[in-house]
PDB file of all heavy atoms in Angstrom:
ATOM      1  N   MET A   1       0.367  -1.917 -35.801  1.00  0.00           N
ATOM      2  CA  MET A   1       0.493  -1.060 -34.616  1.00  0.00           C
ATOM      3  C   MET A   1      -0.751  -1.249 -33.711  1.00  0.00           C
ATOM      4  O   MET A   1      -1.926  -0.992 -34.131  1.00  0.00           O
ATOM      5  CB  MET A   1       0.519   0.391 -35.079  1.00  0.00           C
ATOM      6  CG  MET A   1       0.878   1.387 -33.974  1.00  0.00           C
ATOM      7  SD  MET A   1       2.534   1.298 -33.393  1.00  0.00           S
ATOM      8  CE  MET A   1       3.393   1.844 -34.966  1.00  0.00           C
ATOM      9  N   PRO A   2      -0.490  -1.702 -32.488  1.00  0.00           N
ATOM     10  CA  PRO A   2      -1.723  -1.903 -31.606  1.00  0.00           C
ATOM     11  C   PRO A   2      -2.319  -0.545 -31.173  1.00  0.00           C
ATOM     12  O   PRO A   2      -1.503   0.367 -30.731  1.00  0.00           O
ATOM     13  CB  PRO A   2      -1.120  -2.642 -30.452  1.00  0.00           C
ATOM     14  CG  PRO A   2       0.407  -2.367 -30.454  1.00  0.00           C
ATOM     15  CD  PRO A   2       0.719  -2.097 -31.817  1.00  0.00           C
ATOM     16  N   GLU A   3      -3.586  -0.436 -31.183  1.00  0.00           N
ATOM     17  CA  GLU A   3      -4.288   0.790 -30.742  1.00  0.00           C
ATOM     18  C   GLU A   3      -4.859   0.621 -29.376  1.00  0.00           C
ATOM     19  O   GLU A   3      -5.139   1.613 -28.724  1.00  0.00           O
ATOM     20  CB  GLU A   3      -5.337   1.183 -31.763  1.00  0.00           C
ATOM     21  CG  GLU A   3      -4.767   1.561 -33.139  1.00  0.00           C
ATOM     22  CD  GLU A   3      -5.845   2.069 -34.144  1.00  0.00           C
ATOM     23  OE1 GLU A   3      -7.016   2.087 -33.731  1.00  0.00           O
ATOM     24  OE2 GLU A   3      -5.573   2.348 -35.336  1.00  0.00           O
ATOM     25  N   ASP A   4      -5.237  -0.571 -28.995  1.00  0.00           N
ATOM     26  CA  ASP A   4      -5.842  -0.852 -27.755  1.00  0.00           C
ATOM     27  C   ASP A   4      -4.796  -1.583 -26.826  1.00  0.00           C
ATOM     28  O   ASP A   4      -4.050  -2.436 -27.252  1.00  0.00           O
ATOM     29  CB  ASP A   4      -7.060  -1.759 -27.863  1.00  0.00           C
ATOM     30  CG  ASP A   4      -8.188  -1.082 -28.741  1.00  0.00           C
ATOM     31  OD1 ASP A   4      -8.315   0.147 -28.604  1.00  0.00           O
ATOM     32  OD2 ASP A   4      -8.855  -1.769 -29.448  1.00  0.00           O
ATOM     33  N   LYS A   5      -4.860  -1.275 -25.575  1.00  0.00           N
ATOM     34  CA  LYS A   5      -4.003  -1.885 -24.606  1.00  0.00           C
ATOM     35  C   LYS A   5      -4.253  -3.380 -24.467  1.00  0.00           C
ATOM     36  O   LYS A   5      -5.438  -3.841 -24.619  1.00  0.00           O
ATOM     37  CB  LYS A   5      -4.109  -1.212 -23.183  1.00  0.00           C
ATOM     38  CG  LYS A   5      -5.472  -1.378 -22.510  1.00  0.00           C
ATOM     39  CD  LYS A   5      -5.473  -0.681 -21.272  1.00  0.00           C
ATOM     40  CE  LYS A   5      -6.867  -0.814 -20.648  1.00  0.00           C
ATOM     41  NZ  LYS A   5      -7.292  -2.118 -20.287  1.00  0.00           N
ATOM     42  N   GLU A   6      -3.318  -4.109 -24.125  1.00  0.00           N
ATOM     43  CA  GLU A   6      -3.398  -5.554 -23.858  1.00  0.00           C
ATOM     44  C   GLU A   6      -3.722  -5.754 -22.371  1.00  0.00           C
ATOM     45  O   GLU A   6      -4.521  -6.605 -22.012  1.00  0.00           O
ATOM     46  CB  GLU A   6      -2.086  -6.266 -24.164  1.00  0.00           C
ATOM     47  CG  GLU A   6      -2.136  -7.798 -23.900  1.00  0.00           C
ATOM     48  CD  GLU A   6      -3.112  -8.547 -24.782  1.00  0.00           C
ATOM     49  OE1 GLU A   6      -3.458  -8.081 -25.861  1.00  0.00           O
ATOM     50  OE2 GLU A   6      -3.511  -9.643 -24.266  1.00  0.00           O
ATOM     51  N   HIS A   7      -3.071  -5.059 -21.491  1.00  0.00           N
ATOM     52  CA  HIS A   7      -3.310  -5.068 -20.066  1.00  0.00           C
ATOM     53  C   HIS A   7      -2.828  -3.786 -19.466  1.00  0.00           C
ATOM     54  O   HIS A   7      -2.043  -3.046 -20.178  1.00  0.00           O
ATOM     55  CB  HIS A   7      -2.736  -6.269 -19.346  1.00  0.00           C
ATOM     56  CG  HIS A   7      -1.316  -6.542 -19.636  1.00  0.00           C
ATOM     57  ND1 HIS A   7      -0.842  -7.303 -20.700  1.00  0.00           N
ATOM     58  CD2 HIS A   7      -0.232  -6.050 -18.966  1.00  0.00           C
ATOM     59  CE1 HIS A   7       0.482  -7.361 -20.675  1.00  0.00           C
ATOM     60  NE2 HIS A   7       0.868  -6.562 -19.678  1.00  0.00           N
ATOM     61  N   PRO A   8      -3.185  -3.335 -18.309  1.00  0.00           N
ATOM     62  CA  PRO A   8      -3.987  -4.148 -17.302  1.00  0.00           C
ATOM     63  C   PRO A   8      -5.400  -4.233 -17.553  1.00  0.00           C
ATOM     64  O   PRO A   8      -5.991  -3.296 -18.173  1.00  0.00           O
ATOM     65  CB  PRO A   8      -3.654  -3.413 -15.983  1.00  0.00           C
ATOM     66  CG  PRO A   8      -3.471  -2.057 -16.440  1.00  0.00           C
ATOM     67  CD  PRO A   8      -2.819  -2.058 -17.779  1.00  0.00           C
ATOM     68  N   LYS A   9      -6.085  -5.287 -17.075  1.00  0.00           N
ATOM     69  CA  LYS A   9      -7.512  -5.385 -17.204  1.00  0.00           C
ATOM     70  C   LYS A   9      -8.123  -4.726 -15.916  1.00  0.00           C
ATOM     71  O   LYS A   9      -8.340  -5.374 -14.893  1.00  0.00           O
ATOM     72  CB  LYS A   9      -7.989  -6.852 -17.208  1.00  0.00           C
ATOM     73  CG  LYS A   9      -7.250  -7.666 -18.231  1.00  0.00           C
ATOM     74  CD  LYS A   9      -7.594  -7.211 -19.695  1.00  0.00           C
ATOM     75  CE  LYS A   9      -6.978  -8.107 -20.797  1.00  0.00           C
ATOM     76  NZ  LYS A   9      -7.218  -7.755 -22.140  1.00  0.00           N
ATOM     77  N   ARG A  10      -8.322  -3.480 -16.027  1.00  0.00           N
ATOM     78  CA  ARG A  10      -8.647  -2.648 -14.828  1.00  0.00           C
ATOM     79  C   ARG A  10      -9.986  -3.051 -14.199  1.00  0.00           C
ATOM     80  O   ARG A  10     -10.187  -3.116 -13.010  1.00  0.00           O
ATOM     81  CB  ARG A  10      -8.681  -1.195 -15.174  1.00  0.00           C
ATOM     82  CG  ARG A  10      -7.332  -0.612 -15.516  1.00  0.00           C
ATOM     83  CD  ARG A  10      -7.300   0.878 -15.642  1.00  0.00           C
ATOM     84  NE  ARG A  10      -5.873   1.362 -15.850  1.00  0.00           N
ATOM     85  CZ  ARG A  10      -5.358   1.503 -17.049  1.00  0.00           C
ATOM     86  NH1 ARG A  10      -5.990   1.202 -18.138  1.00  0.00           N
ATOM     87  NH2 ARG A  10      -4.087   1.845 -17.161  1.00  0.00           N
ATOM     88  N   ALA A  11     -11.018  -3.361 -15.008  1.00  0.00           N
ATOM     89  CA  ALA A  11     -12.299  -3.732 -14.503  1.00  0.00           C
ATOM     90  C   ALA A  11     -12.255  -5.054 -13.759  1.00  0.00           C
ATOM     91  O   ALA A  11     -12.707  -5.211 -12.611  1.00  0.00           O
ATOM     92  CB  ALA A  11     -13.297  -3.904 -15.594  1.00  0.00           C
ATOM     93  N   MET A  12     -11.412  -6.030 -14.257  1.00  0.00           N
ATOM     94  CA  MET A  12     -11.164  -7.319 -13.607  1.00  0.00           C
ATOM     95  C   MET A  12     -10.451  -7.126 -12.280  1.00  0.00           C
ATOM     96  O   MET A  12     -10.761  -7.759 -11.248  1.00  0.00           O
ATOM     97  CB  MET A  12     -10.454  -8.282 -14.505  1.00  0.00           C
ATOM     98  CG  MET A  12     -10.261  -9.644 -13.957  1.00  0.00           C
ATOM     99  SD  MET A  12     -11.924 -10.498 -13.748  1.00  0.00           S
ATOM    100  CE  MET A  12     -12.521 -10.577 -15.363  1.00  0.00           C
ATOM    101  N   ILE A  13      -9.421  -6.219 -12.282  1.00  0.00           N
ATOM    102  CA  ILE A  13      -8.652  -5.942 -11.054  1.00  0.00           C
ATOM    103  C   ILE A  13      -9.609  -5.457  -9.988  1.00  0.00           C
ATOM    104  O   ILE A  13      -9.562  -5.821  -8.749  1.00  0.00           O
ATOM    105  CB  ILE A  13      -7.574  -4.975 -11.278  1.00  0.00           C
ATOM    106  CG1 ILE A  13      -6.477  -5.670 -12.157  1.00  0.00           C
ATOM    107  CG2 ILE A  13      -6.936  -4.453 -10.014  1.00  0.00           C
ATOM    108  CD1 ILE A  13      -5.384  -4.682 -12.617  1.00  0.00           C
ATOM    109  N   CYS A  14     -10.488  -4.466 -10.396  1.00  0.00           N
ATOM    110  CA  CYS A  14     -11.424  -3.911  -9.380  1.00  0.00           C
ATOM    111  C   CYS A  14     -12.405  -4.944  -8.818  1.00  0.00           C
ATOM    112  O   CYS A  14     -12.681  -4.992  -7.606  1.00  0.00           O
ATOM    113  CB  CYS A  14     -12.170  -2.703 -10.011  1.00  0.00           C
ATOM    114  SG  CYS A  14     -11.143  -1.307 -10.454  1.00  0.00           S
ATOM    115  N   ILE A  15     -12.973  -5.730  -9.682  1.00  0.00           N
ATOM    116  CA  ILE A  15     -13.880  -6.776  -9.295  1.00  0.00           C
ATOM    117  C   ILE A  15     -13.298  -7.784  -8.383  1.00  0.00           C
ATOM    118  O   ILE A  15     -13.796  -8.140  -7.274  1.00  0.00           O
ATOM    119  CB  ILE A  15     -14.517  -7.529 -10.474  1.00  0.00           C
ATOM    120  CG1 ILE A  15     -15.331  -6.509 -11.338  1.00  0.00           C
ATOM    121  CG2 ILE A  15     -15.346  -8.743 -10.097  1.00  0.00           C
ATOM    122  CD1 ILE A  15     -15.776  -7.068 -12.633  1.00  0.00           C
ATOM    123  N   ILE A  16     -12.115  -8.299  -8.767  1.00  0.00           N
ATOM    124  CA  ILE A  16     -11.460  -9.265  -7.939  1.00  0.00           C
ATOM    125  C   ILE A  16     -11.027  -8.702  -6.546  1.00  0.00           C
ATOM    126  O   ILE A  16     -11.118  -9.336  -5.574  1.00  0.00           O
ATOM    127  CB  ILE A  16     -10.146  -9.859  -8.649  1.00  0.00           C
ATOM    128  CG1 ILE A  16     -10.591 -10.667  -9.871  1.00  0.00           C
ATOM    129  CG2 ILE A  16      -9.277 -10.717  -7.675  1.00  0.00           C
ATOM    130  CD1 ILE A  16      -9.506 -11.160 -10.744  1.00  0.00           C
ATOM    131  N   GLY A  17     -10.445  -7.478  -6.554  1.00  0.00           N
ATOM    132  CA  GLY A  17     -10.026  -6.802  -5.340  1.00  0.00           C
ATOM    133  C   GLY A  17     -11.255  -6.571  -4.450  1.00  0.00           C
ATOM    134  O   GLY A  17     -11.134  -6.853  -3.141  1.00  0.00           O
ATOM    135  N   THR A  18     -12.349  -6.177  -4.952  1.00  0.00           N
ATOM    136  CA  THR A  18     -13.569  -5.991  -4.066  1.00  0.00           C
ATOM    137  C   THR A  18     -14.074  -7.308  -3.509  1.00  0.00           C
ATOM    138  O   THR A  18     -14.413  -7.434  -2.402  1.00  0.00           O
ATOM    139  CB  THR A  18     -14.726  -5.397  -4.934  1.00  0.00           C
ATOM    140  OG1 THR A  18     -14.194  -4.094  -5.490  1.00  0.00           O
ATOM    141  CG2 THR A  18     -15.894  -5.089  -4.082  1.00  0.00           C
ATOM    142  N   LEU A  19     -14.053  -8.371  -4.340  1.00  0.00           N
ATOM    143  CA  LEU A  19     -14.462  -9.697  -3.870  1.00  0.00           C
ATOM    144  C   LEU A  19     -13.541 -10.242  -2.780  1.00  0.00           C
ATOM    145  O   LEU A  19     -14.067 -10.731  -1.808  1.00  0.00           O
ATOM    146  CB  LEU A  19     -14.499 -10.640  -5.069  1.00  0.00           C
ATOM    147  CG  LEU A  19     -15.722 -10.546  -6.039  1.00  0.00           C
ATOM    148  CD1 LEU A  19     -15.448 -11.564  -7.253  1.00  0.00           C
ATOM    149  CD2 LEU A  19     -17.010 -10.840  -5.338  1.00  0.00           C
ATOM    150  N   ILE A  20     -12.274 -10.059  -2.962  1.00  0.00           N
ATOM    151  CA  ILE A  20     -11.331 -10.477  -1.928  1.00  0.00           C
ATOM    152  C   ILE A  20     -11.589  -9.723  -0.663  1.00  0.00           C
ATOM    153  O   ILE A  20     -11.577 -10.354   0.430  1.00  0.00           O
ATOM    154  CB  ILE A  20      -9.870 -10.301  -2.476  1.00  0.00           C
ATOM    155  CG1 ILE A  20      -9.589 -11.294  -3.478  1.00  0.00           C
ATOM    156  CG2 ILE A  20      -8.861 -10.542  -1.233  1.00  0.00           C
ATOM    157  CD1 ILE A  20      -8.251 -11.103  -4.239  1.00  0.00           C
ATOM    158  N   GLY A  21     -11.793  -8.416  -0.709  1.00  0.00           N
ATOM    159  CA  GLY A  21     -12.082  -7.637   0.412  1.00  0.00           C
ATOM    160  C   GLY A  21     -13.324  -8.047   1.171  1.00  0.00           C
ATOM    161  O   GLY A  21     -13.378  -8.094   2.343  1.00  0.00           O
ATOM    162  N   GLY A  22     -14.356  -8.344   0.232  1.00  0.00           N
ATOM    163  CA  GLY A  22     -15.578  -8.761   0.864  1.00  0.00           C
ATOM    164  C   GLY A  22     -15.465 -10.082   1.609  1.00  0.00           C
ATOM    165  O   GLY A  22     -16.008 -10.248   2.742  1.00  0.00           O
ATOM    166  N   ILE A  23     -14.731 -11.045   0.946  1.00  0.00           N
ATOM    167  CA  ILE A  23     -14.514 -12.313   1.625  1.00  0.00           C
ATOM    168  C   ILE A  23     -13.741 -12.240   2.971  1.00  0.00           C
ATOM    169  O   ILE A  23     -14.084 -12.808   3.978  1.00  0.00           O
ATOM    170  CB  ILE A  23     -13.824 -13.305   0.638  1.00  0.00           C
ATOM    171  CG1 ILE A  23     -14.713 -13.618  -0.460  1.00  0.00           C
ATOM    172  CG2 ILE A  23     -13.420 -14.555   1.356  1.00  0.00           C
ATOM    173  CD1 ILE A  23     -14.032 -14.381  -1.627  1.00  0.00           C
ATOM    174  N   ILE A  24     -12.728 -11.389   2.959  1.00  0.00           N
ATOM    175  CA  ILE A  24     -11.912 -11.182   4.145  1.00  0.00           C
ATOM    176  C   ILE A  24     -12.777 -10.577   5.188  1.00  0.00           C
ATOM    177  O   ILE A  24     -12.660 -10.856   6.380  1.00  0.00           O
ATOM    178  CB  ILE A  24     -10.693 -10.298   3.802  1.00  0.00           C
ATOM    179  CG1 ILE A  24      -9.732 -11.052   2.925  1.00  0.00           C
ATOM    180  CG2 ILE A  24      -9.966  -9.799   5.112  1.00  0.00           C
ATOM    181  CD1 ILE A  24      -8.551 -10.242   2.436  1.00  0.00           C
ATOM    182  N   SER A  25     -13.620  -9.556   4.905  1.00  0.00           N
ATOM    183  CA  SER A  25     -14.475  -8.908   5.855  1.00  0.00           C
ATOM    184  C   SER A  25     -15.435  -9.909   6.476  1.00  0.00           C
ATOM    185  O   SER A  25     -15.742  -9.827   7.699  1.00  0.00           O
ATOM    186  CB  SER A  25     -15.228  -7.733   5.213  1.00  0.00           C
ATOM    187  OG  SER A  25     -16.153  -8.143   4.234  1.00  0.00           O
ATOM    188  N   LEU A  26     -15.992 -10.804   5.732  1.00  0.00           N
ATOM    189  CA  LEU A  26     -16.925 -11.826   6.227  1.00  0.00           C
ATOM    190  C   LEU A  26     -16.182 -12.760   7.207  1.00  0.00           C
ATOM    191  O   LEU A  26     -16.761 -13.035   8.273  1.00  0.00           O
ATOM    192  CB  LEU A  26     -17.559 -12.673   5.060  1.00  0.00           C
ATOM    193  CG  LEU A  26     -18.527 -11.813   4.169  1.00  0.00           C
ATOM    194  CD1 LEU A  26     -18.921 -12.732   3.009  1.00  0.00           C
ATOM    195  CD2 LEU A  26     -19.719 -11.333   4.923  1.00  0.00           C
ATOM    196  N   ILE A  27     -15.101 -13.181   6.808  1.00  0.00           N
ATOM    197  CA  ILE A  27     -14.224 -14.080   7.644  1.00  0.00           C
ATOM    198  C   ILE A  27     -13.858 -13.351   8.964  1.00  0.00           C
ATOM    199  O   ILE A  27     -13.892 -13.869  10.025  1.00  0.00           O
ATOM    200  CB  ILE A  27     -12.962 -14.611   6.944  1.00  0.00           C
ATOM    201  CG1 ILE A  27     -13.421 -15.496   5.785  1.00  0.00           C
ATOM    202  CG2 ILE A  27     -12.059 -15.352   7.894  1.00  0.00           C
ATOM    203  CD1 ILE A  27     -12.257 -15.855   4.832  1.00  0.00           C
TER     204      ILE A  27
END
């Protein structure tokens, strides 16, 4: 019985989303 979730990887989603937003803002 799994006790820990497999996904979503929330920290990774936040990091990638912030990076994409930063890159778009610079462009």
